[in-house]
């Protein structure tokens, strides 16, 4: 069978051979080695030659896999900068308390995870003792993306250093009492400790890459020196199956992010079984990362294996390790020495001979416990190598045993992720293994006690000294005192108050124009971070290219094809725009890094991320929850919004539901503005609330979602009235009565209230005219900028009533006393306006674009969904007919006249 990786003759024919005789000599030498030493020896020499060529800078394709051994030989390990025995004792206390915390929580039925931290303890402890910089030193410290299921180990360490007490640990996963600990890293729940929420699998690695990239962005733009910050992302080997985990590997290598280190805990297990039962996940990840351009450090075997590798004079051991699948390695961890001798060493005569030199205890030590990820010296060497490497990010593939030190009932068992507690007897075995001074009498009712060596013990003093030298506690989240940003000049916002006259302007263009004015502001303009996923020209943002520049760490190394044009494509090392290509996930990760810079770096940035509205919440809502959990601030802008405005694109581009999804996120303030002046008012309010001086009791840790449309229409002037701005911000105001619109219905005409949202206001305004001119009905038009905010206000009013407070919802106050029924119309699902139905005292009806989208003209699509002006007229007449205010035949007549 043809080797798919071999260079085929057709490919070789493309490369001229300048010295066929020399080529023949090389081939003959290889053949001679294969005959004399066997194919394995020939392969060994070729591999070493390729490695040497790569190190010497010879232009060859990268060698994607190396042998299943440690990258750093024992002889090359640097000396440990610390007290290994002291660190062992500290780690033992943390292992114990993490297990005790989860076991005690399990008694309350709230679960928890024991096995993950048990496998990864040295990966974290080595970092905390030697590498992770805190927030109290120079710069911003390091950014730590902690594996979610390892949180008990971090809590255990915070207990040891005095930041948590037993009361906190006893309330693990029980937060309602006020002293509890969240299950996973949740900045919103424990904002002084956690910086990054990571338990939604795959989002941690993606965010870590863009965080490291954003650190460089801040430095290149001269906003902050971030050269002292390193991003550490701790991941599971099973987590790497998530597409987001590896989506941006090439970006990290392309931009040479050597300020980034991934640490993948390769315990070979995911939640229900082996990660790669019949294969080798470490080798797969090595090839994937090396192929993407990363530096790869494998830390697989502990020092107990050194003797075995010294005995491997034929390469048989290395060959066997390369071929044994992961699930079988797990099996070895649970079987006796006789089984391992037979199954592993029995594969080759050379291995049988080797096994004869090994005791059973030695074999069990190697196969049961001795893993690189369980030895501080191995992990320390890997971390040092990561820090020393330049020009590329580093991934450390550390092999561990899931459930290590928890006993044979846990170690490498497929079910250990679901095992929540140890028995008292199992704890006692663990105590003896860890050599902890905990007495049998300390167990009460079979429950394991927490352990602490004492606030002034050598262990705690050592821990605190190490952390002080590294810049204070870690992990830690710090919100530095930052002065509120000054409000930009008012003229940027009032420029839209006069309207556009006869000029057609889409609200997308109005938003971009507003941003163009705001980025020119002397005080705050440089704080804006425009983010766009390869659609800048669609949104009319190309005019920002020459003035702001597109961020590229290499600047612009070519002459752009449109250099002679006014709006040419300009890249720059200090560019302000993040133009990410076709990746909504990457753009959201950018946004999160910028939106939380006020805490991560003490630098307030104002990100806005503009995208096809269909490809925002539908594709990346999980990251928007991550944004809210991380207390991010900024503007998400869903452009080409609505189900009927993006003509011709059809179902997959027709957004009829993003406000519904946005409404589920408590941190998202969702707005659907109809007019340019509404956009300006909302952005001004968002800047004040998120980045200015907060009002008493106001939550600054929110983000705004605005929908803007690509439908060019005349922009009206802002109505007069002191309550217009308040109504825009709160979600509803009266745009025009029949009389103020210049219509003259009869004095006794029936009246209806037409509530439009977003672009639908234009349809209801047209319906207002038709109702007056053709049916003698007076209609008032209202603009509903946010049904979601109206609903939230009403729910708060309901909650206030339960507390005995008399509070009327804003929507009820706004509509109090108006005549006639209310008809709400949206370019989204009826579920959007129906959010407020129960708080509207008048008769209620809604129209919306429910169902799948379709390709058609705007007019055709709106007729299809029954939301065009004529459909609004018929629906309004039907409401009035049910009230007896118009004849039923009028509805039939209107339906026939409009062809409905």
């Amino acid at each position: 069978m043809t080797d798919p990786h071999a260079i085929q003759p057709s490919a070789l024919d493309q490369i001229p051979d300048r010295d066929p005789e020399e080529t023949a000599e090389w081939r003959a030498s290889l053949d001679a080695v294969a005959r004399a030493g066997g194919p394995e020896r020939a392969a060994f020499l070729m591999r070493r030659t390729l490695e040497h060529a790569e190190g010497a800078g010879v232009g060859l394709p990268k060698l994607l896999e190396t042998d299943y051994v440690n990258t750093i030989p024992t002889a090359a390990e640097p000396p440990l900068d610390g007290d290994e025995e002291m660190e062992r004792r500290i780690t033992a206390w943390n292992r114990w308390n993490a297990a005790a915390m989860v076991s005690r929580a399990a008694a309350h039925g709230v679960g928890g995870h024991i096995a993950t931290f048990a496998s990864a303890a040295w990966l974290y402890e080595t970092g905390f003792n030697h590498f992770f910089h805190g927030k109290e030193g120079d710069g911003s410290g390091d950014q730590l993306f902690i594996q979610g299921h390892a949180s008990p180990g971090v809590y255990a360490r915070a207990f040891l250093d005095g930041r948590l007490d037993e009361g906190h640990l006893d309330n693990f996963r029980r937060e309602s009492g006020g002293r509890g600990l969240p299950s996973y890293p949740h900045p919103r729940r424990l904002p002084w400790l956690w910086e990054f929420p990571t338990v939604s699998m795959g989002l941690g690695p993606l965010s870590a890459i863009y965080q490291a990239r954003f650190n460089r962005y801040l430095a290149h733009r001269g906003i902050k020196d971030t050269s002292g910050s390193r991003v550490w992302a701790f991941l599971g080997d099973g987590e790497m199956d998530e597409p987001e985990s590896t989506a941006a590997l090439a970006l990290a290598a392309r931009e040479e992010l050597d300020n980034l280190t991934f640490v993948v805990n390769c315990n070979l297990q995911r939640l229900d079984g082996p990660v790669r039962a019949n294969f080798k996940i470490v080798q797969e990840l090595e090839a994937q990362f090396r192929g993407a351009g990363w530096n790869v450090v494998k830390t697989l075997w502990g020092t107990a294996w050194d003797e075995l590798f010294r005995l491997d004079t034929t390469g048989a051991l290395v060959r066997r390790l390369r071929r044994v699948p992961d699930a079988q390695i797990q099996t070895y961890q649970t079987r006796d020495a006789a089984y391992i001798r037979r199954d592993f060493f029995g594969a080759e005569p050379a291995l049988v001979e080797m096994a004869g030199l090994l005791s059973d205890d030695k074999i069990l030590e190697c196969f049961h416990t001795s893993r690189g990820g369980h030895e501080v010296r191995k992990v320390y060497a890997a971390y040092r190598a990561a820090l020393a490497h330049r020009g590329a990010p580093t991934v450390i593939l550390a092999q561990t045993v899931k459930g290590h030190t928890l006993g044979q009932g846990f170690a490498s068992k497929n079910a250990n992720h679901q095992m929540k507690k140890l028995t008292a007897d199992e704890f006692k075995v663990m105590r003896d293994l860890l050599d902890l001074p905990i007495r049998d009498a300390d167990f009460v009712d079979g429950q394991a006690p927490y352990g602490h060596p004492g606030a002034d013990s050598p262990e705690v003093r050592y821990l605190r000294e190490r952390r002080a030298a590294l810049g204070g506690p870690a992990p830690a989240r710090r919100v530095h005192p930052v002065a509120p940003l000054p409000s930009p000049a008012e003229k940027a916002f009032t420029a839209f108050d006069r309207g556009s006259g006869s000029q057609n302007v889409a609200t997308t263009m109005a938003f971009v124009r507003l941003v163009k004015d705001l980025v020119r502001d002397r005080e705050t303009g440089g704080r804006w971070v425009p983010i766009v996923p390869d659609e800048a020209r669609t949104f009319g943002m190309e005019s920002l290219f020459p003035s702001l520049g597109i961020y590229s760490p290499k600047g612009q190394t070519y002459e752009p094809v449109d250099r002679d044009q006014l709006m040419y494509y300009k890249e720059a090392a200090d560019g302000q725009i993040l133009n990410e290509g076709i990746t909504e996930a990457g753009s959201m990760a950018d946004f999160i890094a910028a939106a939380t810079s006020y805490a991560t770096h003490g630098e307030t940035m104002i990100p806005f991320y503009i995208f096809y509205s269909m490809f925002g919440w539908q594709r990346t809502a999980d990251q928007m929850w991550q944004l809210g959990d991380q207390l991010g601030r900024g503007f998400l802008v869903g452009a080409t919004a609505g189900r009927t405005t993006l003509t011709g694109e059809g179902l997959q581009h027709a957004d009829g539901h993003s406000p519904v999804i946005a409404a589920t996120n408590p941190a998202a303030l969702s707005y659907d503005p109809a007019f340019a002046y509404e956009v300006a008012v909302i952005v001004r309010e968002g800047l004040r609330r998120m980045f200015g001086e907060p009002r008493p009791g106001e939550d600054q840790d929110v983000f705004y979602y605005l929908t803007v449309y690509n439908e060019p229409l005349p922009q009206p002037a802002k109505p007069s009235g002191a309550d217009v701005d308040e109504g825009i911000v709160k979600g509803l105001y009266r745009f025009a009565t029949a009389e103020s619109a210049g219509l003259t219905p009869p004095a006794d005409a029936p009246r209806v209230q037409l509530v439009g949202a977003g672009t639908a206001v234009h349809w209801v305004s047209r319906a207002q005219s038709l109702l007056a001119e053709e049916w003698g009905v007076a209609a008032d038009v209202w603009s509903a900028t946010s049904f979601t905010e109206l609903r939230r206000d009403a729910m708060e009013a309901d909650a206030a009533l339960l507390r005995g407070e008399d509070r009327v919802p804003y929507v009820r106050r706004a509509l109090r006393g108006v005549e006639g029924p209310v008809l709400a119309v949206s370019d989204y699902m009826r579920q959007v306006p129906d959010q407020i139905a129960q708080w509207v005292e008048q008769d209620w009806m809604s129209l919306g674009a429910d169902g799948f989208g379709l390709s058609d003209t705007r007019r055709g699509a709106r007729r299809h969904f029954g939301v065009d002006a004529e459909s609004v007229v018929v629906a309004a007449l039907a409401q009035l007919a049910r009230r007896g205010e118009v004849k039923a035949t009028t509805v039939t007549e209107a339906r026939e006249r409009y062809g409905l």
Side-chain angles (χ1 to χ4, degrees):
M1 185 173 64
T2 302
D3 181 355
H5 302 292
I7 299 178
Q8 302 304 310
S10 59
L12 288 174
D13 291 344
Q14 308 301 313
I15 305 172
D17 189 344
R18 295 184 298 176
D19 193 340
E21 184 176 346
E22 182 183 34
T23 304
E25 290 174 357
W26 277 79
R27 288 176 174 172
S29 296
L30 183 62
D31 290 342
V33 171
R35 284 193 300 270
E40 293 291 344
R41 177 59 181 168
F44 176 85
L45 288 177
M46 287 298 298
R47 184 177 293 274
R48 294 297 175 264
T49 302
L50 287 170
E51 288 174 349
H52 179 76
E54 184 178 321
V58 176
L60 285 173
K62 286 185 177 296
L63 188 66
L64 296 186
E65 285 187 28
T66 59
D67 289 325
Y68 201 67
V69 297
N70 294 347
T71 302
I72 304 171
T74 301
E77 292 170 5
L80 182 69
D81 179 24
D83 185 333
E84 187 170 352
E85 173 57 25
M86 186 68 73
E87 293 178 23
R88 185 201 65 77
R89 296 205 300 270
I90 291 170
T91 303
W93 284 115
N94 291 338
R95 286 183 181 277
W96 176 270
N97 288 321
M101 180 195 328
V102 175
S103 290
R104 290 163 73 114
H108 298 283
V110 294
H113 300 286
I114 297 178
T116 296
F117 179 72
S119 68
W122 276 116
L123 303 181
Y124 291 106
E125 292 298 322
T126 305
F128 287 131
N129 289 326
H130 299 280
F131 294 96
F132 303 157
H133 290 93
K135 305 291 186 183
E136 296 171 5
D138 294 335
S140 305
D142 289 349
Q143 289 83 53
L144 307 181
F145 289 76
I146 304 293
Q147 194 177 359
H149 292 148
S151 64
V154 175
Y155 292 141
R157 189 169 228 274
F159 170 64
L160 206 63
D161 71 15
R163 292 192 290 166
L164 295 175
D165 57 32
E166 288 193 14
H168 290 109
L169 301 193
D170 257 350
N171 284 289
F172 174 60
R173 290 194 167 198
R174 292 191 295 159
E175 299 178 73
S176 59
R179 279 174 52 81
L181 300 177
S183 52
Y184 303 124
H186 284 303
R188 187 168 286 276
R189 290 298 182 209
L190 204 61
W192 60 267
L193 179 72
W194 297 119
E195 262 195 304
F196 306 104
T198 54
V199 83
S200 191
M201 297 295 182
L203 299 190
L206 180 69
S207 290
I209 289 173
Y210 281 90
Q211 181 66 55
R213 197 280 195 93
F214 189 74
N215 291 357
R216 291 279 176 84
Y217 171 90
L218 289 176
H220 286 153
R221 290 196 56 210
I223 292 173
K224 184 165 188 177
D225 179 5
T226 58
S227 59
S229 291
R230 173 169 289 268
V231 175
W232 299 81
F234 289 83
L235 320 168
D237 48 359
E239 181 180 6
M240 301 309 294
D241 282 346
E242 291 285 4
E244 296 90 348
S245 293
T246 56
L249 297 187
L251 167 71
R254 185 170 65 245
E255 299 202 1
E256 301 177 355
L257 297 179
D258 51 21
N259 61 340
L260 170 67
T261 300
F262 275 16
V263 181
V264 183
N265 178 18
C266 297
N267 57 34
L268 313 185
Q269 286 185 252
R270 52 189 177 209
L271 274 61
D272 293 322
V275 178
R276 293 290 183 273
N278 296 297
F279 305 94
K280 302 188 80 63
I281 185 60
V282 169
Q283 300 299 85
E284 179 182 319
L285 291 175
E286 178 184 29
Q288 193 169 12
F289 278 89
R290 284 174 68 89
W294 286 53
N295 176 45
V296 178
V297 178
K298 293 197 293 192
T299 303
L300 307 180
W301 307 112
T303 53
W305 283 82
D306 289 350
E307 180 183 348
L308 276 68
F309 288 121
R310 283 195 298 269
L311 295 172
D312 186 29
T313 58
T314 65
L317 177 62
V318 173
R319 287 195 299 274
R320 183 68 176 134
L321 289 173
R322 191 165 63 238
R323 291 169 179 170
V324 175
D326 284 353
Q328 192 63 23
I329 288 180
Q330 271 188 273
T331 299
Y332 294 146
Q333 289 165 284
T334 63
R335 297 300 180 90
D336 60 20
Y339 177 88
I340 298 171
R341 287 182 186 276
R342 181 174 65 255
D343 191 87
F344 182 85
F345 291 100
E348 288 192 38
L351 293 177
V352 173
E353 182 180 347
M354 180 188 296
L357 303 174
L358 304 173
S359 68
D360 283 357
D361 286 346
K362 182 67 174 182
I363 289 175
L364 292 178
E365 181 187 10
C366 288
F367 284 85
H368 282 189
T369 61
S370 185
R371 299 292 182 271
H374 295 324
E375 296 190 12
V376 60
R377 289 182 176 272
K378 302 293 185 186
V379 177
Y380 182 88
Y383 288 4
R384 279 282 170 228
L387 264 63
H389 190 79
R390 294 290 179 267
T394 294
V395 60
I396 295 167
L397 304 175
Q399 187 164 261
T400 65
V401 176
K402 193 167 186 177
H404 183 59
T405 73
L406 298 179
Q408 288 302 304
F410 266 83
S412 290
K413 294 297 178 66
N414 283 337
N416 62 18
H417 193 81
Q418 305 302 327
M419 297 163 70
K420 310 298 182 187
K421 59 184 178 180
L422 280 71
T423 66
D425 288 341
E426 288 171 328
F427 266 113
K428 291 172 184 177
V429 171
M430 182 183 181
R431 171 200 62 191
D432 295 341
L433 177 65
L434 297 176
D435 191 25
L436 291 172
I438 295 173
R439 303 170 303 166
D440 287 356
D442 295 330
F443 287 78
V444 178
D445 297 328
Q447 191 173 64
Y450 296 119
H452 200 292
D456 196 40
S457 64
E459 292 92 335
V460 173
R461 288 202 306 271
Y462 181 89
L463 183 155
R464 288 176 173 166
E465 288 169 2
R466 301 301 300 188
R467 290 311 316 156
L470 288 165
R477 181 178 182 271
R478 296 285 185 270
V479 179
H480 307 273
V482 177
L485 291 183
S487 178
E490 189 67 14
K491 65 179 181 180
F493 304 105
T494 58
F496 300 98
D497 288 358
R498 297 187 300 274
S500 65
S502 60
Q503 181 183 4
N504 290 334
V505 177
T507 51
T508 300
M509 296 299 102
F511 177 82
V512 171
R513 177 186 162 187
L514 174 62
V515 169
K516 287 175 64 177
D517 290 342
L518 293 175
V519 296
R520 295 192 188 105
D521 185 83
R522 181 174 300 178
E523 297 285 341
T524 61
R527 297 284 167 174
W528 283 85
V529 184
I531 302 167
V532 61
D534 199 42
E535 291 286 357
R537 297 183 190 278
T538 300
F539 307 137
M541 290 176 59
E542 68 271 23
S543 61
L544 298 177
F545 290 171
S547 57
L548 300 185
I550 299 166
Y551 173 70
S552 170
K554 293 186 178 298
Q556 193 157 37
T557 61
Y558 60 92
E559 183 177 350
V561 68
D562 53 0
R563 183 63 181 85
D564 57 344
Q565 297 179 16
L566 181 63
M567 293 183 288
Y568 68 96
Y569 196 84
K570 177 188 175 183
E571 295 188 81
D574 61 350
Q576 194 166 346
I577 300 170
L578 292 172
N579 192 3
E580 291 302 3
I582 306 175
T583 169
E584 286 83 8
S587 299
M588 267 306 302
D590 259 340
F591 186 87
I592 293 169
T596 55
S597 182
Y598 72 93
T600 309
H601 292 293
E603 296 289 346
T604 301
M605 306 301 288
I606 311 172
F608 82 86
Y609 164 34
I610 187 167
F611 50 88
Y612 265 67
S613 64
M614 185 66 166
F615 304 144
W617 287 88
Q618 175 165 302
R619 286 193 179 179
T620 57
D622 197 12
Q623 288 177 285
M624 290 159 183
W625 275 99
Q626 180 188 13
L627 168 66
D629 201 3
Q630 203 167 318
L631 310 176
R633 305 168 185 171
F635 296 95
L636 296 175
V637 183
T640 60
R643 183 149 277 166
T644 69
T645 60
L646 191 57
T647 55
E649 294 285 356
L651 185 154
Q652 291 183 344
H653 286 65
D655 173 23
H657 50 276
S658 67
V660 177
I661 308 175
T664 66
N665 191 313
L669 278 63
S670 177
Y671 285 89
D672 187 16
F675 307 123
Y677 66 79
E678 293 179 352
V679 172
V681 169
I682 294 165
V683 170
R684 181 177 58 192
E685 172 64 10
L687 288 172
R688 182 207 62 77
R689 177 166 178 175
M690 295 185 290
F691 306 107
E693 194 70 54
R695 293 169 182 158
E698 191 171 51
D699 185 5
Q700 280 191 288
D701 298 323
V702 296
F703 61 93
Y704 280 65
Y705 173 57
L706 281 73
T707 54
V708 292
Y709 296 86
N710 70 324
E711 186 171 11
L713 292 166
Q715 293 295 323
K718 183 179 179 180
S720 59
D723 59 346
V724 172
D725 282 13
E726 180 191 22
I728 292 171
V729 171
K730 289 187 174 294
L732 181 69
Y733 70 99
R734 182 150 43 192
F735 173 67
T737 64
E739 292 74 16
S740 67
L743 305 171
T744 55
D748 59 349
R751 188 172 287 267
V752 65
Q753 306 299 319
L754 302 179
V755 178
T759 196
V761 176
H762 297 283
W763 320 333
V764 299
S765 294
R766 169 68 177 150
Q768 179 189 45
S769 298
L770 292 175
L771 283 165
E773 295 165 0
E774 300 186 9
W775 306 101
V777 171
D780 299 338
V781 172
W782 298 72
S783 178
T785 54
S786 180
F787 288 112
T788 301
E789 287 307 297
L790 291 172
R791 175 179 175 81
R792 287 175 176 170
D793 172 80
M795 292 172 66
E796 289 173 7
D798 287 352
L801 286 174
L802 293 177
R803 297 192 299 267
E805 302 171 20
D806 188 14
R807 179 176 162 189
V808 180
Y810 176 81
V811 64
R812 187 166 292 170
R813 285 188 283 122
L815 293 172
R816 178 176 288 160
V818 300
E819 299 176 39
V822 174
L823 173 60
V825 187
S826 171
D827 203 20
Y828 291 92
M829 303 167 63
R830 291 175 63 180
Q831 186 175 339
V832 176
D834 284 347
Q835 291 181 91
I836 65 169
Q838 64 178 295
W839 292 282
V840 175
E841 295 177 334
Q842 292 83 355
D843 291 341
W844 173 270
M845 183 180 176
S846 65
L847 298 176
D850 286 76
F852 290 110
L854 77 166
S855 297
D856 210 316
T857 63
R858 292 188 180 109
R859 180 177 179 81
R862 287 163 187 167
R863 177 55 59 93
H864 169 82
F865 286 111
V867 293
D868 60 349
E870 291 80 5
S871 297
V872 173
V873 169
V874 172
L877 292 174
Q879 279 185 289
L880 294 170
R882 283 192 293 272
R883 294 161 58 95
E885 296 181 33
V886 302
K887 296 178 181 179
T889 55
T890 303
V891 180
T892 303
E893 181 184 349
R895 188 182 299 114
E896 292 174 351
R897 179 181 300 182
Y898 300 136
L900 299 180

